[in-house]
Amino acid sequence: MIRTYSAPRADWRARFDSIGFTFYDMESEGGRPYWQEEAAYGFSGTEIDAFEEATAELFRLCMEACERIVRDRRFAEFGIPVELWDLVEKSWDEDDPTVYGRFDLAYDAAGTIKLLEFNADTPTSLVESAAAQWQWLVETRGDGADQFNLLHELLVEQWVHLRVQRWFLPQGARLHLASLHDSGDGQLIVEDADTVGYMAETARLAGFEVKQIFMEDVQFDEDAHGFIDGDGERIERIFKLYPWEWMVREEFAQYFPTTRATTAWVEPIWKMMLSNKQLLVVLWELFPDHPLLLAAYPTPDRLRGRAYVEKPRLGREGANVTMYDLVGRKTAENGGDYGAEGFVYQERATLANIDGKTVIVGSWIVGETPAGIDVRETSGPITGDLAEFVPHYITDHEERP
């Protein structure tokens, strides 16, 4: 992996506006824009192959972990309300379909890949990974350039799979797609709206008639005993960029078991087993010393003598993450609003550091297929909400078979 200088395009903002990526100026470190194309990361074909193989293997391990969690009914560890345990089990046993997810991976100078966490329910950075960095590649590095990015094609294929083979629907079937409009301040959450807008486009290309709404519009019609949108239209299938851990605490959660046959949610509720960092503990318990995993426990006791990280089970974007050194001294921490759900403790990974930047690789899975990578960098040890997105390319693509 190398970090190289890249001259920004003069009109890069307008070019991104044209593809529906509009939150590029979201503030990052030092007030810089979230999107950065003054630099780019180059990976060899061998490295790309390693990411692809690691992603497939990690997904396999996660599926085995879900099976064990369900069979042993370990739902309490994941904070799943007891009244929904049977629903989660049924959702898993009946293989409710999934569309996508993103593994966050540590990658060091020796080429070692380690799982940091799995964003399995509501992963963002989708539109910039699938569309923005591909546009950058074509417009800055020429027609012969390449990157590990099959996201767009695979998302369309996966939506076709859901429509035709899982839901047995004709061309033009309705699909709702929703995100949260605001956080109580009335200001549109542009990142989420753009992400859902891009996902809607892939579903439209797969033959759905799409309707983009906000989660605030979702209502429950008690007379019809079903979910409806703000126009009173019945919601039969819905992609939601809204986490299950919030949904199951809301008033309409009581209706999930009795509307399972009439409303399909994507991502499905069984993803609650994967989007919780308790998964890291279960993975290490089931596959100790696996080369792609870091030691993880529910308490820090067994990590004494090793540098480790405290992570909230349901935290996001590095919030409430604390790092400790070999003797248990705190070395870095991020604030935030998470932690009431409890913490897990994970051995600290060695992260690549290039030009003073700490690097995290996001590796996407669509269905069961590795679909591409993205790169985020920060000047600090914790990758949080101020990290910057940097595009990537394959350095020796012409030699790859």
Side-chain angles (χ1 to χ4, degrees):
M1 177 173 65
I2 59 173
R3 188 177 189 269
T4 59
Y5 173 76
S6 177
R9 295 165 293 165
D11 61 345
W12 63 268
R13 287 177 173 84
R15 296 298 298 133
F16 285 154
D17 285 336
S18 73
I19 59 172
F21 172 41
T22 67
F23 55 93
Y24 39 73
D25 275 327
M26 189 167 56
E27 185 175 343
S28 66
E29 291 181 333
R32 287 160 52 87
Y34 162 65
W35 172 272
Q36 286 296 324
E37 59 180 66
E38 294 178 0
Y41 282 86
F43 295 89
S44 71
T46 300
E47 289 178 303
I48 294 299
D49 290 343
F51 284 122
E52 188 171 6
E53 292 168 6
T55 302
E57 171 67 0
L58 286 169
F59 190 74
R60 183 188 69 81
L61 298 181
C62 287
M63 295 302 96
E64 290 196 25
C66 282
E67 178 66 14
R68 182 65 65 87
I69 294 163
V70 169
R71 298 286 78 83
D72 294 344
R73 293 182 69 80
R74 296 175 61 171
F75 303 123
E77 297 174 33
F78 292 79
I80 300 171
V82 64
E83 59 269 19
L84 295 176
W85 287 9
D86 289 346
L87 179 63
V88 174
E89 181 176 15
K90 180 175 288 189
S91 177
W92 169 254
D93 286 343
E94 296 185 2
D95 192 25
D96 286 351
T98 173
V99 171
Y100 75 143
R102 190 192 75 236
F103 293 99
D104 282 349
L105 305 177
Y107 188 61
D108 65 16
T112 303
I113 298 172
K114 296 287 187 179
L115 173 65
L116 297 174
E117 60 189 61
F118 188 15
N119 301 280
D121 184 20
T122 58
T124 53
S125 76
L126 178 65
V127 62
E128 52 268 49
S129 296
Q133 69 170 342
W134 184 260
Q135 184 199 73
W136 167 87
L137 181 81
V138 172
E139 295 186 358
T140 64
R141 303 191 71 86
D143 293 338
D146 200 7
Q147 66 185 200
F148 183 26
N149 186 358
L150 302 170
L151 269 164
H152 186 82
E153 296 87 345
L154 290 175
L155 284 169
V156 174
E157 289 180 12
Q158 186 66 4
W159 280 118
V160 170
H161 171 71
L162 264 65
R163 181 176 66 81
V164 177
Q165 297 175 270
R166 303 303 305 277
W167 292 336
F168 309 107
L169 298 172
Q171 189 96 1
R174 175 71 92 189
L175 176 70
H176 285 80
L177 300 99
S179 62
L180 190 67
H181 181 275
D182 62 80
S183 300
D185 57 5
Q187 297 296 311
L188 176 67
I189 304 173
V190 178
E191 180 182 5
D192 289 7
D194 281 6
T195 300
V196 172
Y198 174 72
M199 188 65 88
E201 175 61 12
T202 64
R204 184 190 66 79
L205 292 171
F208 283 101
E209 181 182 340
V210 299
K211 185 176 185 180
Q212 189 170 350
I213 63 172
F214 294 107
M215 286 300 297
E216 291 91 337
D217 298 328
V218 176
Q219 306 167 40
F220 192 80
D221 183 336
E222 294 197 8
D223 292 334
H225 197 78
F227 291 98
I228 59 173
D229 64 20
D231 298 322
E233 181 181 344
R234 193 174 186 90
I235 297 174
E236 297 180 338
R237 295 160 293 276
I238 179 168
F239 169 86
K240 47 82 186 170
L241 194 70
Y242 189 74
W244 273 107
E245 66 260 25
W246 297 355
M247 290 174 63
V248 299
R249 304 297 175 187
E250 295 175 356
E251 184 178 357
F252 62 49
Q254 62 183 301
Y255 302 116
F256 291 144
T258 56
T259 58
R260 172 173 162 74
T262 55
T263 300
W265 297 88
V266 178
E267 295 296 306
I269 195 170
W270 64 260
K271 281 288 192 84
M272 289 189 76
M273 297 183 286
L274 298 179
S275 60
N276 186 311
K277 293 179 186 65
Q278 180 67 18
L279 171 72
L280 302 172
V281 174
V282 175
L283 285 170
W284 187 252
E285 174 188 319
L286 298 178
F287 310 105
D289 301 317
H290 191 287
L292 294 173
L293 300 179
L294 295 161
Y297 301 100
T299 66
D301 304 353
R302 297 178 66 179
L303 290 168
R304 300 300 183 194
R306 285 181 279 180
Y308 66 92
V309 181
E310 178 186 71
K311 296 181 175 183
R313 286 189 172 94
L314 296 173
R316 297 173 183 276
E317 296 183 318
N320 300 101
V321 168
T322 304
M323 290 184 165
Y324 295 87
D325 65 12
L326 298 173
V327 295
R329 292 177 302 200
K330 186 185 301 183
T331 60
E333 65 178 330
N334 271 4
D337 299 323
Y338 300 97
E341 68 280 2
F343 294 85
V344 301
Y345 299 84
Q346 184 184 51
E347 181 182 7
R348 185 169 176 176
T350 302
L351 302 178
N353 191 286
I354 305 176
D355 297 337
K357 299 291 187 179
T358 301
V359 182
I360 294 289
V361 175
S363 191
W364 294 87
I365 191 101
V366 175
E368 300 178 0
T369 304
I373 62 171
D374 63 48
V375 180
R376 285 163 294 149
E377 63 177 24
T378 181
S379 59
I382 301 173
T383 302
D385 59 357
L386 296 181
E388 296 169 357
F389 189 104
V390 183
H392 82 278
Y393 63 96
I394 299 175
T395 57
D396 55 351
H397 60 92
E398 293 179 350
E399 289 78 29
R400 295 187 78 200

